[in-house]
Amino acid sequence: PFSTRRCSALLFSAHALRTAMAFSAETVQITPATRAFMSKIHPEIYNNLAALLLFIGSLAAFHFLYYELSMLKKPQERRLLHQLSVALLASICLGFGAFFLLAWAGVYV
């Protein structure tokens, strides 16, 4: 037996799904700055570029995590510049990797 709360949750989720599907058919206008950036890179290599950037970003993020955990034993040896540079590299690579993955899939943000 369904309770009233479950029925209303199911109806709400079905409505949200129909609404999301209705908006998915819209065409999106890309800003000129994004169009200029994306025109410099051939669309056929978006998936390879996304995979490479996500891999490098993940390696940098795991290196950062390993460094932070290893510095728990010896906190006096921490280096701020090293932490910031690895975090910046991971952030940039993961951000652009996600961007090209979405562009390859046809989702323009």
Side-chain angles (χ1 to χ4, degrees), residues 1-12:
F2 287 105
S3 68
T4 307
R5 185 176 294 167
R6 276 191 189 169
C7 287
S8 63
L10 287 173
L11 289 174
F12 177 74

Side-chain angles (χ1 to χ4, degrees), residues 22-105:
F23 286 118
S24 66
E26 291 182 12
T27 58
V28 177
Q29 296 295 329
I30 301 173
T31 63
T34 306
R35 188 175 315 233
F37 175 73
M38 291 177 65
S39 68
K40 295 178 183 178
I41 300 169
H42 201 276
E44 289 181 4
I45 65 167
Y46 283 174
N47 61 343
N48 295 331
L49 188 59
L52 178 68
L53 288 172
L54 288 171
F55 180 73
I56 292 171
S58 297
L59 284 179
F62 286 128
H63 173 70
F64 181 81
L65 182 65
Y66 176 76
Y67 178 79
E68 287 297 315
L69 290 175
S70 66
M71 286 296 121
L72 289 175
K73 295 178 183 173
K74 39 191 171 181
Q76 67 277 7
E77 294 182 18
R78 283 189 179 172
R79 297 178 311 219
L80 180 63
L81 185 61
H82 177 74
Q83 292 173 330
L84 290 176
S85 62
V86 171
L88 181 68
L89 175 70
S91 174
I92 289 172
C93 287
L94 289 173
F96 277 109
F99 173 78
F100 281 111
L101 184 68
L102 290 172
W104 172 67

